[in-house]
């Protein structure tokens, strides 16, 4: 059966992570750093036994929602986050572009 996953944001002053929790157990994490008013997604990892169940995507969704709420753009240094942002047209507004522009005007 599918685990019931909760996403929890663990925010530090300069870095933090989104943790995917299956009860008390952390089964996935998306790590980020805050730099120059942007969120730099550095690494995403999900427990090998639970891969392919959409947990990493839920972590990215939480990141996108918070970036929007805080009017920040995402710099996807993590290849998984980059791939998700590039393949979801509805997330282009938070994707940081070279030159400081996000995907579309606000």
């Amino acid at each position: 059966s599918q685990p019931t996953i909760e996403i929890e944001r663990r925010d530090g002053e300069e870095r933090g992570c989104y943790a995917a929790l299956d009860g008390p157990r952390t089964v996935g994490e998306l790590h980020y750093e805050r730099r120059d008013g942007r969120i730099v997604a550095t690494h995403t990892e999900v427990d090998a036994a639970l891969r392919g169940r959409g947990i990493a995507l839920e972590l990215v969704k939480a990141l996108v929602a918070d970036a929007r709420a805080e009017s920040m753009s995402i710099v996807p240094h993590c290849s998984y986050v980059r791939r998700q942002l590039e393949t979801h047209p509805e997330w282009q507004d938070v994707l940081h572009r070279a030159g400081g522009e996000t995907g579309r005007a606000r």
Side-chain angles (χ1 to χ4, degrees), residues 84-103:
Q84 291 304 320
L85 290 176
E86 288 173 350
T87 58
H88 285 82
E90 69 276 20
W91 293 347
Q92 296 301 300
D93 60 310
V94 295
L95 176 59
H96 179 76
R97 308 269 183 200
E101 298 300 314
T102 49

Side-chain angles (χ1 to χ4, degrees), residues 17-102:
C17 78
Y18 289 87
L21 305 174
D22 180 11
R25 201 165 68 101
T26 299
V27 295
E29 290 182 326
L30 188 163
H31 293 266
Y32 64 88
E33 297 175 6
R34 293 177 178 277
R35 290 189 215 152
D36 304 319
R38 294 189 281 275
I39 301 169
V40 180
T42 55
H43 182 67
T44 305
E45 188 169 351
V46 171
D47 187 314
L50 297 174
R51 288 190 185 143
R53 298 190 186 187
I55 294 170
L57 183 59
E58 291 303 313
L59 292 165
V60 176
K61 287 178 182 176
L63 172 68
V64 168
D66 287 349
R68 280 187 180 141
E70 297 169 25
S71 297
M72 297 180 84
S73 60
I74 299 168
V75 180
H77 284 189
C78 166
S79 60
Y80 178 80
V81 174
R82 180 182 311 113
R83 194 164 52 251
Q84 291 304 320
L85 290 176
E86 288 173 350
T87 58
H88 285 82
E90 69 276 20
W91 293 347
Q92 296 301 300
D93 60 310
V94 295
L95 176 59
H96 179 76
R97 308 269 183 200
E101 298 300 314
T102 49

